[in-house]
Amino acid sequence: MISFPEKSLSESQILAHLQTLKAQDLDWQAGKMMALVYYPGKKYADIIQKAYNLFFTENALNPTAFPSLRRLETETVSMCAHLLGGNEHTAGTLTSGGTESILMAVKTARSWAKAHKPLISLPEIIIPSSAHPAFRKAFYYFGIKPVIIPIDNETYMANVQAMEQAITPHTIMLVGSAPAYPHGVIDDIKAIAAVAQKNNLLMHVDACVGGFMLPFLKQLGKPIPDFDLSVQGVTSISADLHKYGYAAKGASVILYSTVELRKHQFFVDTAWEGGIYASPSMLGSRAGGSIAAAWTALQAIGKQGYTALMSDAWEARQTIKKGIENIKDLKIIGNPQGTIVAFGSNKLDIYAIADELSLKGWHFDRQQKPASIHLTIMPAHKATAAQFVADLQAAVQQVNKFGWQKLTTNMQVEAVKGLKKIVSDSTFARLQSLMPQGKINEGKNVQRSAAMYGMMGTLSGTGALNDLVTDFLDKLNSLK
Ligand SMILES: *Cc1c(COP(=O)(O)O)cnc(C)c1O
């Protein structure tokens, strides 16, 4: 425990301390981060930040107190509806992020089913296995039975036929992603929506990462399938303003095909001593800043600006994708149609390649099933894409040279597998020392983590790994 501050620190002390802490973070401005940070360049970022600061103190909890925020929010929702195939019936709200939008879509589906299918006691929602974990989180929070259908192992798309076969009298909603985060592959939204409509089910499109990517790729003439509210049978869609919309963190939109459906999202309490309490989404107090910043991003960048930014990202994507395809032992996963690309290898240890790239300052996600590297490619990477390809070539050579590294990884994985056979899940969970401390996201002093990822792949989905990660989260949320 550290003590609660007795006296105040001066502004210079505080800022100096914050700068020191910040210096240990990854330097996203170097254009080597392929996840987490979406940056539209200084010109736009400055305006968006100004807008945030202008509404830094205001609270969107009570829209009658701040009609400005109400107006900014409804206008932002409306502009998003226009972008994403909505019509005069479309209704939505802003949320704090993709997770909240998805939680709301699931909660709304549950309330809709209570009203329209009252005989269902344990509602089921069918998702492709590649759908974002926010869905499983929502099922866990709201008591929905998860029905998770493995994606097609060649296309990495949702297996629509298997999803249809999984429908029972308790099913309330189907889900598709445009695109799914892991491989950047777009599910066949038309087909899923048609199945939903035929069976009188809701259908949600997770366009959290694609909502402000795909429309502008279409604008550039890229072949993007229909994925939004214009598709027959789609009843809701989520899109994150704080990803390719370049808004400040804390902004996403959830849109419904009808006002009636949106009503199932709302919470109202008229019995409270404190007066009538009405809340559209999960949060109570809501940051005025993120609403103002979202509105400002759309207005300041506009269709032309977004299309130009997407053009830069696409150029980087082409360089990187071609670079990967030109390396014999690597392969792109599925057919990514946007600016998210994942790749793996049949021959080399992709996690060892990842380690070499990390040592050169690149940051990205390491994935499992199949073992792969995930790149979210952004406008900033136009300047660094060629360097990435050169570093990747060098990394592959390095790993080819030191074949023993794969061997040691394999030996460790085998050792873990062996261990797994002889100890119980709970004993195994106590072996958390296997997990290098604080290394899920490598800091500056990167260490090789290929062995750990190999091990995690082996244990994926088991209680043992869940326990390890829960302990790890506990550590991350404690003072060191
Ligand atoms: C990012 C993302 C989410 C979750 O959004 P958060 O803003 O991180 O809560 C959901 N689905 C997809 C496809 C995403 O890319």
Side-chain angles (χ1 to χ4, degrees):
M1 205 187 302
I2 65 165
S3 50
F4 193 83
E6 202 67 49
K7 288 186 304 189
S8 58
L9 290 180
S10 71
E11 180 179 330
S12 61
Q13 282 173 313
I14 287 178
L15 293 180
H17 185 66
L18 294 180
Q19 291 296 354
T20 311
L21 288 179
K22 231 180 159 177
Q24 298 163 22
D25 291 345
L26 290 171
D27 176 15
W28 55 266
Q29 285 175 312
K32 288 185 155 188
M33 261 186 113
M34 291 158 138
L36 300 171
V37 169
Y38 298 77
Y39 189 67
K42 187 165 161 41
K43 184 182 79 173
Y44 295 135
D46 281 352
I47 310 169
I48 295 164
Q49 199 165 0
K50 272 187 195 147
Y52 193 101
N53 285 338
L54 203 57
F55 286 86
F56 183 82
T57 315
E58 280 72 7
N59 188 344
L61 171 61
N62 183 342
T64 59
F66 302 108
S68 55
L69 288 177
R70 200 187 127 215
R71 185 166 191 103
L72 293 173
E73 174 162 6
T74 50
E75 286 188 6
T76 304
V77 169
S78 184
M79 291 185 279
C80 293
H82 182 241
L83 180 72
L84 296 169
N87 56 32
E88 70 276 17
H89 302 294
T90 308
T93 60
L94 288 187
T95 67
S96 60
T99 299
E100 196 192 1
S101 289
I102 289 167
L103 289 172
M104 289 296 83
V106 168
K107 184 262 168 216
T108 298
R110 192 185 68 169
S111 297
W112 171 85
K114 262 190 192 139
H116 295 280
K117 304 185 173 200
L119 295 180
I120 297 180
S121 53
L122 177 57
E124 299 171 7
I125 294 180
I126 303 175
I127 61 169
S129 55
S130 58
H132 194 274
F135 288 98
R136 301 167 205 225
K137 194 178 197 178
F139 301 159
Y140 172 66
Y141 282 2
F142 297 131
I144 305 283
K145 182 174 165 194
V147 181
I148 300 167
I149 305 300
I151 50 174
D152 183 274
N153 55 21
E154 261 164 44
T155 63
Y156 294 87
M157 291 165 76
N159 183 339
V160 184
Q161 211 180 359
M163 286 176 75
E164 182 163 22
Q165 280 161 3
I167 294 172
T168 75
H170 309 286
T171 307
I172 62 172
M173 184 160 78
L174 307 183
V175 170
S177 310
Y181 183 81
H183 317 117
V185 169
I186 305 172
D187 291 332
D188 189 344
I189 300 301
K190 253 190 184 154
I192 300 172
V195 171
Q197 199 172 28
K198 195 172 81 187
N199 291 278
N200 187 25
L201 304 171
L202 299 178
M203 151 74 203
H204 180 80
V205 175
D206 180 5
C208 277
V209 78
F212 296 90
M213 171 212 287
L214 303 181
F216 306 115
L217 286 176
K218 252 187 196 173
Q219 196 67 25
L220 288 168
K222 309 299 169 204
I224 301 295
D226 291 341
F227 70 96
D228 59 18
L229 285 167
S230 65
V231 176
Q232 276 281 317
V234 171
T235 55
S236 58
I237 187 168
S238 48
D240 293 352
L241 287 141
H242 66 198
K243 287 184 181 153
Y244 285 99
Y246 307 109
K249 293 281 186 294
S252 169
V253 67
I254 169 77
L255 298 170
Y256 299 97
S257 56
T258 66
V259 175
E260 197 270 330
L261 198 49
R262 182 179 63 177
K263 278 192 186 146
H264 294 292
Q265 182 181 302
F266 296 161
F267 173 81
V268 174
D269 182 356
T270 55
W272 185 41
E273 279 76 356
I276 291 172
Y277 187 94
S279 157
S281 46
M282 296 279 287
L283 302 185
S285 291
R286 289 195 297 143
S290 45
I291 294 171
W295 183 91
T296 301
L298 299 186
Q299 296 287 358
I301 302 175
K303 197 178 190 174
Q304 281 184 355
Y306 280 113
T307 306
L309 285 166
M310 204 25 87
S311 170
D312 286 354
W314 183 261
E315 209 176 295
R317 179 259 198 209
Q318 291 299 78
T319 304
I320 291 171
K321 186 162 175 278
K322 286 203 184 101
I324 296 166
E325 283 163 350
N326 286 339
I327 298 174
K328 187 170 81 1
D329 294 323
L330 299 183
K331 74 173 200 311
I332 301 275
I333 298 189
N335 173 30
Q337 286 159 293
T339 49
I340 287 180
V341 169
F343 64 100
S345 174
N346 289 332
K347 185 174 157 230
L348 302 172
D349 183 350
I350 197 73
Y351 298 135
I353 293 171
D355 282 351
E356 296 303 323
L357 287 169
S358 292
L359 290 167
K360 294 204 159 97
W362 296 97
H363 180 87
F364 41 76
D365 297 329
R366 288 158 168 82
Q367 307 191 128
Q368 56 180 351
K369 299 194 273 185
S372 54
I373 288 175
H374 163 114
L375 308 175
T376 302
I377 301 168
M378 300 176 221
H381 300 133
K382 185 180 159 183
T384 56
Q387 185 62 49
F388 179 83
V389 172
D391 286 350
L392 179 61
Q393 284 164 344
V396 168
Q397 265 181 7
Q398 186 75 6
V399 171
N400 253 324
K401 201 155 63 187
F402 293 104
W404 56 268
Q405 246 170 26
K406 185 174 169 74
L407 194 67
T408 45
T409 302
N410 281 343
M411 274 165 58
Q412 288 181 52
V413 169
E414 286 309 315
V416 171
K417 269 190 197 158
L419 195 62
K420 185 76 186 43
K421 283 196 197 118
I422 51 174
V423 301
S424 71
D425 269 12
S426 63
T427 316
F428 192 85
R430 270 181 256 121
L431 301 173
Q432 55 175 278
S433 55
L434 280 172
M435 210 147 171
Q437 310 238 337
K439 287 296 170 194
I440 270 191
N441 291 309
E442 300 82 41
K444 277 243 167 83
N445 42 355
V446 181
Q447 65 181 55
R448 295 181 194 273
S449 57
M452 182 186 78
Y453 278 92
M455 179 196 93
M456 300 214 307
T458 309
L459 296 177
S460 156
T462 65
L465 187 57
N466 283 0
D467 286 351
L468 279 174
V469 177
T470 304
D471 287 348
F472 184 70
L473 260 189
D474 196 42
K475 262 201 201 124
L476 280 183
N477 285 287
S478 313
L479 267 179
K480 281 224 193 71

